[in-house]
Amino acid sequence: MGIHTYFQSLNDLERIIRCPGKFKFEEHSVSAHSWKVVQYAKTLADIEETNGVTVDWKKLYEITSSHDYGEIFIGDIKTPVKHHSLELRAMLQQVEEGMVAHFIDEHIPSEFQPIFRRQLREGKDDSVEGRILEVADKLDQIYEAFTELQRGNTEKEFVVMYRDALIKIKGIQLHCVDYFLQHILPDLVSEGSRSPIDIEKITKEALAT
Amino acid sequence: MGIHTYFQSLNDLERIIRCPGKFKFEEHSVSAHSWKVVQYAKTLADIEETNGVTVDWKKLYEITSSHDYGEIFIGDIKTPVKHHSLELRAMLQQVEEGMVAHFIDEHIPSEFQPIFRRQLREGKDDSVEGRILEVADKLDQIYEAFTELQRGNTEKEFVVMYRDALIKIKGIQLHCVDYFLQHILPDLVSEGSRSPIDIEKITKEALAT
Amino acid sequence: MGIHTYFQSLNDLERIIRCPGKFKFEEHSVSAHSWKVVQYAKTLADIEETNGVTVDWKKLYEITSSHDYGEIFIGDIKTPVKHHSLELRAMLQQVEEGMVAHFIDEHIPSEFQPIFRRQLREGKDDSVEGRILEVADKLDQIYEAFTELQRGNTEKEFVVMYRDALIKIKGIQLHCVDYFLQHILPDLVSEGSRSPIDIEKITKEALAT
Amino acid sequence: MGIHTYFQSLNDLERIIRCPGKFKFEEHSVSAHSWKVVQYAKTLADIEETNGVTVDWKKLYEITSSHDYGEIFIGDIKTPVKHHSLELRAMLQQVEEGMVAHFIDEHIPSEFQPIFRRQLREGKDDSVEGRILEVADKLDQIYEAFTELQRGNTEKEFVVMYRDALIKIKGIQLHCVDYFLQHILPDLVSEGSRSPIDIEKITKEALAT
Amino acid sequence: MGIHTYFQSLNDLERIIRCPGKFKFEEHSVSAHSWKVVQYAKTLADIEETNGVTVDWKKLYEITSSHDYGEIFIGDIKTPVKHHSLELRAMLQQVEEGMVAHFIDEHIPSEFQPIFRRQLREGKDDSVEGRILEVADKLDQIYEAFTELQRGNTEKEFVVMYRDALIKIKGIQLHCVDYFLQHILPDLVSEGSRSPIDIEKITKEALAT
Amino acid sequence: MGIHTYFQSLNDLERIIRCPGKFKFEEHSVSAHSWKVVQYAKTLADIEETNGVTVDWKKLYEITSSHDYGEIFIGDIKTPVKHHSLELRAMLQQVEEGMVAHFIDEHIPSEFQPIFRRQLREGKDDSVEGRILEVADKLDQIYEAFTELQRGNTEKEFVVMYRDALIKIKGIQLHCVDYFLQHILPDLVSEGSRSPIDIEKITKEALAT
């Protein structure tokens, strides 16, 4: 079949859970994560524009909304696997891309195939939009980890998740990253101050690396 | 606080359930619905562009991704209420808009307030983008109802939901509506042919009205 | 249809969640909350009777068991909205009452309509029974918030929920309120003493206001 | 401790599931079931009163609201066990009553112990109120089974559950039973007419026994 | 019917929840618990074998995998009831065994009945395998309680559950118990060191009794 | 750390869902599936023994209980991927085995490493035990698919899952396969006869291939 198969498939991402078995307070579906990335990216791009940067909104729309579509085929497993072996992660990436390519060949009408190939490509390149996607994706990792830490989840995993995302973000050159570090992150840290886990200390250490 | 409060709030929409108490097979969060609307709208706009129509992608991005943000305050209740009384629905709409306005005043830094007011406005106007949003929103209603009907949910509610959405869509003048009716809907009906509910008949009746 | 529609509708309240998106440890359905209010009210009324007060049990039965039935139409949203604007809350109350009135007109046989109108009225008046309902309703707010605080939920929301309910209760003139403050609340505070949140301090501050 | 322990315990019934592992479409907590029994009983008693019967509302309140409290200790297992052996069921009943008695002795202040013993007794006696409780309890069994049958659950268990409850109800002498059989049951059967299971036939056979 | 009824019934244990209403962070089904007991027992038996002890693997297989099958009939209620009265617990055990015997008589073909009676007997005897089962069963109680304590569940129940299991285990004469106390338990305590609950202290007190 | 890390990890398999997003009536965790495979295999091996075949119970214990442990790292994705490309499936198998090997090297004490390597190997070889595992694994696929089909799930996926498993089983030379086809399968088909899906026809076609 055609576009119907694609539309229908979107529903399945609502049942694919991020990092299955890890979140203890709030689980997140891949579709909910994708929507939050779209939302963060929109505000991040607004910050860029208010600083005079030109944003290609069509490209940003395409790469943010579909950036995890491939997980429909293999679930959300790249991150935990990556922690153990970059080689195995590369192999998984290849499996996922193979599944996406296969899906487009089989289900998407030929006149739309170039559009779908462009939209479902890896979007995290060096362009402004690619960098905004990277920040937005890591931002959700920060908020997901924060939600666990703030409620007293003492498992080390979420400290690592929070710190790694923060370190990644601060290394990216964007006006919105400056804004995040100066205006958003302090509010987040302040809100987490009643947690039994010292979120402020973890944050400072990450920013100092 | 500022943008942090907004970013943090997005998480709550993952726990707001669409039409609470109605879906029996698969429940849908408002965030998952929002993401699907973003995805449908992208493909619908692609179809418009391939037909020579100019799409304002920034506007489309803004109005699709945030179109149900106000439900963070009052849940997803406008649709069922609307069935009973348009006056009560208008009142609810006013409550929701009041809450959104209040949130922007209290939490969003003044330099971003105009941007947020524009993004969180009602987006279903007569522009191409507004009409695409309307189609995409109704499309998800079709897929949500279809998922129940296809699995044998015999409650009348979903027949109504499916039919109303279809009638609404077919009245909108867009190339993508023509494409949907000719190329997508037939595949959907065909996939539903093993259901104990006669989806084909319901579809034909809706298209004939 | 008739009473069947009403009986059937009760089932839906089992899927309506209290304060959607807020509780992180244990969610509560409106039907479970309603039952707990019935149970608290029964014991509170027993305490009144042992102090020589006459209780109209039929009235108490009616107003406690149905006090949140209207949420079947609009979900549990009045409390959060109230925090922001009493005007918007009044408007919502009007929507809910309109939906209830509409439901009775359409579905309840005429010989039972006066009974249903009386049972589904707002029951929190100045009578003994009305005050018992108010205490019982706030008591569940206390227990619901306590359950979150006791397990280390550090979000400010539940401190506010707990404190507001306590302040409301202590202002009501009833023997059972005295009994609660002297004999029940101290046990609750004592049980919460191992929580990272200082429930005793919050309690003392609320009682001192 | 005292009444606090009792109030706190109510919360646990929200996590005790009826017939664990059996319901496939909608699970029911014991607290939600208890609330629905309270609601049905209220309307059933209204029907008695409109037929000139005197109702002891305090007694009805007590026996309906607490009729399954004992399941807090042993879960909802009496019904399935009963199907296999009345002797084993009697033994279970004894265990449950022993747990309730033990709870009252240990936790309820002595001045309230007689009240709690009366409220937590088996309420299904031959009085009007006892018979109303029996009807209300079976009525929820009918609605719970109907919800499964209506959605196409073909497991024999729910046919048995529906039929047994109906046979039990029709054997009880009450005005409200007549009303149910003449005015409520036909609407229910009519609503179930699109189910793949022949609910009308099952109903007629049960009424003919 | 025959073996099919037995195979089909296994599925139901996936919906039977351990200690219903008690676990707040992670619920456990009886089937998942049973699998973990099988896994622990395998490693415990490996430790015995490396110490020169002969293990009857067929017996171990039989008694570990089926040790809670009887809960399919009455749920997981023996443990909480036991805390209150050993007499009531014995009665429940009798009910469960009666249900199992009844099931075998009715559903298992006669040529397999002796095998099923042997497999579904109480396996915790004085043999090596019986003692390994006892340790493995208690080990899961430790891990289940630890998971709650580690995340800051301050309810006394889980401290008792953890301590009772530990005291039981340390009284059993097996090489694998020594290994557990010297090599596994210290790692567990160390991992729990960031919890607001002093797991190390609870452990030391239990070991000192 | 050591064995503790392994024991602790077992808990995570309780949160890993089989075929995420596919089952609509009952989801299955990998741990529950693993337990059912252990149970089926035990009875299948009993049937072999009653036919005079010698069973190595230690080997059977090891390979059945751990046969899906590797999914702790990458979830349950091999089956859906396999349908599209055997090459991609082989790559995934390699990733999973790499993760398991890495886990043993890092966490299991050296004296137990050979035991764990043997237990966590692929167990589906040509031995009696390897073939029993293959049958037991496919048997659960049959029961999982049957549970969906019996309740009226009309999605083609489960027809394929049921048929493929049946075809695989009937090609394996074992006494227990004969017993299954003659004595168990007919009961299953008979129980499914009220489903809107023609399970009998699907079964006959699969057996005729």
Side-chain angles (χ1 to χ4, degrees):
Chain A
M1 298 212 249
I3 299 290
H4 163 64
T5 307
Y6 168 69
F7 280 180
Q8 173 86 319
S9 77
L10 299 176
N11 198 48
D12 283 347
L13 270 182
E14 206 170 335
R15 316 288 151 203
I16 308 279
I17 298 303
R18 302 246 305 158
C19 293
K22 295 304 174 196
F23 289 97
K24 305 307 180 190
F25 287 81
E26 294 197 5
E27 292 201 319
H28 305 278
S29 72
V30 175
S31 60
H33 161 72
S34 297
W35 178 71
K36 285 187 287 179
V37 167
V38 166
Q39 292 289 77
Y40 300 137
K42 182 173 58 180
T43 298
L44 298 175
D46 287 335
I47 296 173
E48 292 304 303
E49 281 199 340
T50 60
N51 281 278
V53 177
T54 302
V55 173
D56 178 344
W57 285 92
K58 182 177 178 182
K59 182 181 176 188
L60 190 67
Y61 191 145
E62 288 187 340
I63 62 177
T64 55
S65 60
S66 290
H67 81 287
D68 273 344
Y69 178 77
E71 299 197 353
I72 224 165
F73 303 111
I74 65 162
D76 182 55
I77 58 173
K78 289 189 304 277
T79 306
V81 168
K82 181 176 63 176
H83 291 161
H84 289 89
S85 156
L86 284 172
E87 190 193 335
L88 291 181
R89 190 196 187 284
M91 223 183 259
L92 269 179
Q93 181 77 28
Q94 222 178 313
V95 173
E96 189 178 299
E97 285 171 6
M99 298 289 288
V100 169
H102 185 269
F103 177 83
I104 293 176
D105 289 349
E106 195 175 353
H107 292 294
I108 302 300
S110 55
E111 67 268 33
F112 295 111
Q113 289 192 358
I115 295 175
F116 273 79
R117 286 206 189 89
R118 187 186 70 226
Q119 290 176 354
L120 298 175
R121 74 177 179 276
E122 172 59 47
K124 293 179 181 172
D125 58 24
D126 284 339
S127 64
V128 174
E129 298 79 19
R131 281 176 286 148
I132 289 177
L133 168 58
E134 178 72 279
V135 174
D137 197 19
K138 288 293 171 294
L139 207 47
D140 201 42
Q141 205 173 307
I142 284 183
Y143 273 103
E144 286 181 346
F146 175 69
T147 300
E148 296 286 318
L149 295 172
Q150 182 193 17
R151 286 170 195 153
N153 188 328
T154 60
E155 290 171 76
K156 212 179 63 180
E157 184 138 13
F158 294 100
V159 173
V160 173
M161 188 189 286
Y162 178 89
R163 189 168 47 205
D164 285 2
L166 198 48
I167 291 171
K168 186 85 189 182
I169 287 175
K170 82 177 171 106
I172 295 172
Q173 297 280 330
L174 281 172
H175 298 285
C176 59
V177 169
D178 298 340
Y179 187 90
F180 169 71
L181 295 175
Q182 284 167 41
H183 298 287
I184 298 175
L185 188 59
D187 283 354
L188 179 147
V189 169
S190 156
E191 193 181 326
S193 65
R194 303 210 307 178
S195 165
I197 293 151
D198 194 340
I199 296 173
E200 188 175 3
K201 193 179 155 209
I202 299 167
T203 305
K204 280 189 174 155
E205 285 173 4
L207 294 179
T209 50
Chain B
M1 296 213 248
I3 299 291
H4 163 64
T5 307
Y6 168 69
F7 279 179
Q8 174 86 321
S9 77
L10 300 175
N11 198 48
D12 284 348
L13 271 182
E14 207 171 335
R15 314 289 152 203
I16 308 279
I17 297 304
R18 303 246 303 158
C19 294
K22 296 303 174 197
F23 288 99
K24 305 307 179 190
F25 287 80
E26 294 198 4
E27 292 200 319
H28 305 277
S29 72
V30 175
S31 60
H33 161 73
S34 297
W35 177 70
K36 284 186 287 178
V37 168
V38 166
Q39 293 288 77
Y40 300 137
K42 182 173 58 181
T43 298
L44 298 175
D46 287 335
I47 296 172
E48 291 305 305
E49 282 199 341
T50 61
N51 282 278
V53 177
T54 302
V55 173
D56 178 342
W57 286 91
K58 182 178 178 182
K59 183 182 175 188
L60 190 68
Y61 191 144
E62 288 187 342
I63 62 176
T64 54
S65 60
S66 291
H67 82 286
D68 272 344
Y69 179 77
E71 300 197 353
I72 223 164
F73 303 112
I74 64 161
D76 182 54
I77 57 173
K78 288 187 307 274
T79 306
V81 168
K82 183 176 59 174
H83 291 159
H84 289 88
S85 157
L86 284 172
E87 191 194 334
L88 292 180
R89 189 194 187 285
M91 222 183 259
L92 267 180
Q93 182 76 26
Q94 223 178 312
V95 173
E96 190 177 300
E97 285 171 6
M99 298 289 289
V100 169
H102 184 269
F103 177 83
I104 293 175
D105 289 347
E106 196 175 354
H107 292 295
I108 302 300
S110 55
E111 68 268 33
F112 294 110
Q113 289 191 359
I115 296 176
F116 273 79
R117 285 206 190 90
R118 188 187 68 226
Q119 289 176 355
L120 298 176
R121 75 178 179 275
E122 171 58 47
K124 292 179 181 172
D125 57 23
D126 283 340
S127 65
V128 175
E129 297 79 19
R131 280 177 286 150
I132 289 177
L133 168 57
E134 180 70 279
V135 174
D137 199 18
K138 288 294 170 293
L139 207 47
D140 201 41
Q141 204 173 309
I142 284 182
Y143 273 103
E144 286 181 346
F146 175 70
T147 300
E148 296 285 317
L149 296 172
Q150 181 192 19
R151 283 166 199 159
N153 189 327
T154 59
E155 290 172 76
K156 211 180 62 181
E157 185 138 14
F158 293 100
V159 174
V160 174
M161 187 188 286
Y162 178 89
R163 190 169 46 205
D164 285 2
L166 198 49
I167 291 170
K168 186 85 189 182
I169 286 176
K170 81 177 171 104
I172 295 172
Q173 296 280 329
L174 281 172
H175 299 286
C176 59
V177 169
D178 299 339
Y179 189 90
F180 168 72
L181 294 175
Q182 285 167 39
H183 299 288
I184 298 176
L185 188 59
D187 283 353
L188 180 147
V189 169
S190 154
E191 194 181 326
S193 64
R194 303 210 306 179
S195 165
I197 292 149
D198 194 340
I199 296 173
E200 188 175 2
K201 193 180 154 207
I202 298 166
T203 305
K204 280 188 175 156
E205 285 173 3
L207 293 180
T209 53
Chain C
M1 298 211 250
I3 299 290
H4 163 64
T5 307
Y6 169 67
F7 280 179
Q8 174 86 318
S9 77
L10 299 176
N11 198 48
D12 284 348
L13 271 182
E14 206 170 336
R15 315 289 151 202
I16 309 280
I17 296 304
R18 303 245 304 157
C19 293
K22 296 304 176 195
F23 288 98
K24 306 307 180 190
F25 286 79
E26 294 197 6
E27 293 202 317
H28 305 277
S29 72
V30 175
S31 61
H33 161 72
S34 298
W35 178 72
K36 285 186 287 178
V37 168
V38 165
Q39 292 289 76
Y40 299 138
K42 182 173 58 180
T43 297
L44 298 175
D46 287 335
I47 296 173
E48 291 305 305
E49 281 198 341
T50 60
N51 282 277
V53 176
T54 302
V55 173
D56 179 343
W57 285 92
K58 183 178 177 182
K59 182 181 177 190
L60 190 68
Y61 191 144
E62 287 187 342
I63 62 178
T64 54
S65 60
S66 290
H67 81 287
D68 272 346
Y69 179 76
E71 299 197 353
I72 224 165
F73 303 112
I74 65 162
D76 182 54
I77 58 175
K78 290 188 303 279
T79 306
V81 168
K82 183 176 60 174
H83 291 160
H84 289 89
S85 157
L86 284 172
E87 190 194 334
L88 291 180
R89 189 195 188 283
M91 220 183 261
L92 268 180
Q93 181 77 27
Q94 221 178 313
V95 173
E96 189 178 300
E97 286 171 6
M99 299 288 288
V100 169
H102 185 269
F103 178 82
I104 293 175
D105 289 348
E106 195 175 353
H107 292 294
I108 302 300
S110 54
E111 67 269 32
F112 295 110
Q113 289 191 358
I115 295 175
F116 274 79
R117 286 206 188 90
R118 187 186 69 226
Q119 289 176 355
L120 298 175
R121 73 178 180 274
E122 171 59 46
K124 293 180 181 172
D125 57 25
D126 284 339
S127 65
V128 175
E129 297 78 20
R131 281 176 285 148
I132 289 176
L133 168 57
E134 178 72 280
V135 174
D137 197 20
K138 289 293 171 295
L139 206 48
D140 201 43
Q141 205 173 308
I142 284 183
Y143 274 103
E144 286 181 346
F146 175 70
T147 300
E148 296 286 317
L149 295 172
Q150 181 192 19
R151 285 169 197 154
N153 188 327
T154 60
E155 288 172 78
K156 211 180 61 180
E157 184 138 14
F158 293 99
V159 174
V160 174
M161 188 188 287
Y162 178 88
R163 191 168 46 205
D164 285 1
L166 198 48
I167 291 170
K168 185 85 190 181
I169 286 176
K170 82 177 171 104
I172 295 172
Q173 296 280 328
L174 281 173
H175 298 285
C176 60
V177 169
D178 298 340
Y179 187 91
F180 169 71
L181 295 175
Q182 285 167 39
H183 298 288
I184 297 175
L185 188 59
D187 283 354
L188 180 146
V189 169
S190 155
E191 193 180 327
S193 65
R194 303 210 306 179
S195 165
I197 292 150
D198 195 340
I199 296 173
E200 189 176 1
K201 193 178 154 208
I202 298 166
T203 305
K204 280 189 174 155
E205 286 173 4
L207 293 180
T209 52
Chain D
M1 298 212 248
I3 300 290
H4 163 63
T5 308
Y6 168 69
F7 279 179
Q8 174 86 321
S9 77
L10 300 176
N11 198 48
D12 283 348
L13 271 182
E14 206 171 335
R15 313 292 152 202
I16 308 279
I17 296 304
R18 303 245 305 157
C19 293
K22 296 304 173 195
F23 289 98
K24 305 307 179 190
F25 286 78
E26 294 197 5
E27 292 201 319
H28 305 277
S29 72
V30 175
S31 60
H33 161 72
S34 297
W35 177 71
K36 285 185 287 178
V37 168
V38 165
Q39 292 289 76
Y40 300 137
K42 184 172 57 181
T43 297
L44 297 175
D46 286 336
I47 295 173
E48 293 304 305
E49 281 198 339
T50 60
N51 282 279
V53 176
T54 303
V55 173
D56 179 342
W57 286 92
K58 182 177 177 182
K59 183 181 175 187
L60 190 67
Y61 192 144
E62 287 188 341
I63 62 177
T64 54
S65 60
S66 290
H67 81 286
D68 272 345
Y69 179 75
E71 299 197 351
I72 224 164
F73 303 112
I74 64 162
D76 182 55
I77 59 173
K78 288 188 305 275
T79 306
V81 168
K82 184 176 60 176
H83 291 160
H84 289 88
S85 156
L86 285 172
E87 191 194 333
L88 292 180
R89 190 194 187 284
M91 224 183 257
L92 268 180
Q93 182 76 24
Q94 222 178 313
V95 173
E96 190 178 299
E97 286 171 6
M99 299 289 287
V100 169
H102 184 269
F103 178 83
I104 293 175
D105 290 348
E106 196 176 352
H107 292 295
I108 302 302
S110 54
E111 67 268 33
F112 294 111
Q113 289 191 359
I115 295 175
F116 274 78
R117 285 205 189 91
R118 189 187 67 226
Q119 289 176 355
L120 298 175
R121 74 178 180 274
E122 171 60 46
K124 292 179 182 171
D125 57 25
D126 283 339
S127 64
V128 174
E129 297 79 19
R131 280 176 287 150
I132 290 177
L133 168 57
E134 179 71 279
V135 174
D137 198 19
K138 289 293 169 295
L139 208 47
D140 201 42
Q141 205 172 308
I142 284 182
Y143 273 103
E144 287 181 346
F146 175 70
T147 301
E148 297 285 318
L149 295 172
Q150 182 192 20
R151 284 166 199 157
N153 188 328
T154 59
E155 290 173 77
K156 211 180 62 180
E157 185 139 12
F158 293 100
V159 174
V160 174
M161 188 188 286
Y162 178 88
R163 191 169 45 202
D164 285 1
L166 198 48
I167 290 171
K168 186 86 189 180
I169 286 176
K170 82 177 170 104
I172 296 173
Q173 295 280 329
L174 281 173
H175 299 286
C176 59
V177 168
D178 298 340
Y179 188 90
F180 168 71
L181 295 175
Q182 284 167 39
H183 299 287
I184 298 175
L185 188 59
D187 282 355
L188 180 146
V189 169
S190 155
E191 192 180 329
S193 65
R194 302 211 306 179
S195 165
I197 292 151
D198 195 339
I199 296 174
E200 188 175 1
K201 192 180 155 207
I202 298 166
T203 305
K204 280 188 175 158
E205 285 172 3
L207 294 180
T209 51
Chain E
M1 296 211 249
I3 299 291
H4 163 64
T5 307
Y6 168 68
F7 280 179
Q8 174 87 319
S9 77
L10 300 176
N11 199 47
D12 283 347
L13 271 180
E14 206 169 336
R15 314 290 153 202
I16 309 278
I17 297 304
R18 302 245 305 157
C19 294
K22 296 303 174 194
F23 288 97
K24 306 307 180 191
F25 286 80
E26 294 197 6
E27 292 201 318
H28 305 278
S29 71
V30 175
S31 61
H33 161 72
S34 296
W35 178 71
K36 285 187 285 178
V37 168
V38 166
Q39 292 290 76
Y40 300 138
K42 181 172 60 180
T43 298
L44 297 175
D46 286 336
I47 296 173
E48 292 305 303
E49 281 198 340
T50 60
N51 282 277
V53 176
T54 303
V55 173
D56 178 344
W57 285 92
K58 182 179 176 181
K59 183 181 175 187
L60 190 68
Y61 191 144
E62 287 187 341
I63 63 177
T64 54
S65 60
S66 290
H67 81 287
D68 273 344
Y69 179 75
E71 299 196 353
I72 224 165
F73 303 111
I74 64 161
D76 182 55
I77 58 174
K78 288 188 306 277
T79 306
V81 168
K82 183 176 61 176
H83 291 160
H84 289 88
S85 157
L86 285 171
E87 190 194 333
L88 292 180
R89 189 194 188 284
M91 222 183 259
L92 269 180
Q93 182 77 27
Q94 222 179 313
V95 173
E96 189 177 302
E97 285 171 5
M99 299 288 288
V100 169
H102 184 268
F103 177 83
I104 293 175
D105 289 348
E106 196 175 351
H107 291 295
I108 301 300
S110 54
E111 67 268 33
F112 294 110
Q113 289 193 358
I115 295 175
F116 274 79
R117 287 208 187 89
R118 189 186 68 228
Q119 289 176 354
L120 297 175
R121 74 178 179 275
E122 171 59 47
K124 292 179 182 173
D125 57 25
D126 284 339
S127 64
V128 174
E129 297 79 19
R131 281 177 285 149
I132 288 176
L133 167 57
E134 179 71 279
V135 174
D137 198 20
K138 290 292 170 295
L139 206 48
D140 200 43
Q141 205 173 306
I142 284 182
Y143 272 103
E144 286 181 346
F146 175 70
T147 300
E148 296 286 316
L149 295 172
Q150 181 192 19
R151 283 166 198 157
N153 188 327
T154 60
E155 290 172 77
K156 211 180 63 179
E157 185 139 13
F158 293 99
V159 174
V160 173
M161 188 188 286
Y162 178 88
R163 191 169 46 204
D164 285 2
L166 198 49
I167 291 171
K168 185 84 189 183
I169 287 176
K170 83 177 170 102
I172 295 172
Q173 296 280 329
L174 281 173
H175 298 285
C176 59
V177 168
D178 298 340
Y179 188 91
F180 169 70
L181 295 174
Q182 285 168 38
H183 299 288
I184 298 175
L185 188 59
D187 283 354
L188 180 148
V189 169
S190 154
E191 193 181 326
S193 64
R194 302 210 307 179
S195 165
I197 291 150
D198 195 340
I199 296 173
E200 188 175 3
K201 193 180 155 207
I202 298 166
T203 305
K204 279 189 175 156
E205 284 173 5
L207 294 179
T209 50
Chain F
M1 295 212 252
I3 300 289
H4 163 64
T5 307
Y6 168 68
F7 279 178
Q8 174 86 320
S9 77
L10 299 176
N11 199 48
D12 283 348
L13 271 181
E14 207 170 336
R15 315 289 152 204
I16 309 280
I17 296 303
R18 303 245 305 158
C19 293
K22 296 304 174 194
F23 288 98
K24 305 308 179 189
F25 287 79
E26 295 196 6
E27 292 201 318
H28 304 277
S29 72
V30 176
S31 61
H33 161 72
S34 297
W35 177 70
K36 284 186 287 179
V37 168
V38 165
Q39 293 289 76
Y40 301 137
K42 183 172 58 181
T43 297
L44 298 175
D46 286 335
I47 296 172
E48 292 305 304
E49 281 199 340
T50 60
N51 282 279
V53 176
T54 303
V55 173
D56 179 343
W57 286 92
K58 181 177 178 182
K59 183 180 175 189
L60 190 68
Y61 191 144
E62 288 187 339
I63 62 177
T64 55
S65 60
S66 290
H67 80 287
D68 272 345
Y69 179 76
E71 299 196 352
I72 224 165
F73 303 112
I74 65 162
D76 182 54
I77 58 174
K78 289 187 306 274
T79 306
V81 168
K82 182 176 60 175
H83 292 159
H84 290 88
S85 156
L86 285 171
E87 189 193 334
L88 292 180
R89 189 194 188 284
M91 224 183 256
L92 267 180
Q93 181 76 25
Q94 222 179 314
V95 173
E96 188 177 301
E97 286 171 6
M99 298 289 287
V100 169
H102 184 269
F103 177 83
I104 293 175
D105 289 349
E106 196 175 350
H107 292 295
I108 302 301
S110 55
E111 68 269 32
F112 294 110
Q113 289 192 359
I115 295 175
F116 273 79
R117 284 203 191 92
R118 189 187 68 226
Q119 290 176 355
L120 298 176
R121 75 179 178 274
E122 171 58 46
K124 293 180 181 171
D125 57 26
D126 284 340
S127 64
V128 174
E129 297 78 21
R131 281 177 285 150
I132 289 177
L133 168 58
E134 179 70 280
V135 175
D137 197 20
K138 288 293 170 295
L139 207 48
D140 201 42
Q141 205 172 309
I142 283 182
Y143 273 104
E144 286 181 347
F146 175 70
T147 300
E148 296 286 317
L149 295 172
Q150 181 192 19
R151 285 169 198 154
N153 189 327
T154 59
E155 289 172 78
K156 210 180 64 179
E157 185 138 13
F158 294 99
V159 174
V160 173
M161 188 188 286
Y162 178 89
R163 191 169 45 204
D164 286 1
L166 199 49
I167 291 170
K168 186 84 188 184
I169 286 176
K170 81 177 171 105
I172 296 172
Q173 297 279 329
L174 281 173
H175 298 285
C176 59
V177 169
D178 298 339
Y179 189 91
F180 168 71
L181 295 175
Q182 285 168 38
H183 299 287
I184 298 176
L185 188 60
D187 283 353
L188 180 146
V189 169
S190 156
E191 193 181 328
S193 64
R194 303 210 307 179
S195 165
I197 292 149
D198 195 340
I199 297 173
E200 189 176 1
K201 192 179 156 205
I202 299 166
T203 305
K204 280 190 175 155
E205 285 172 4
L207 294 179
T209 52

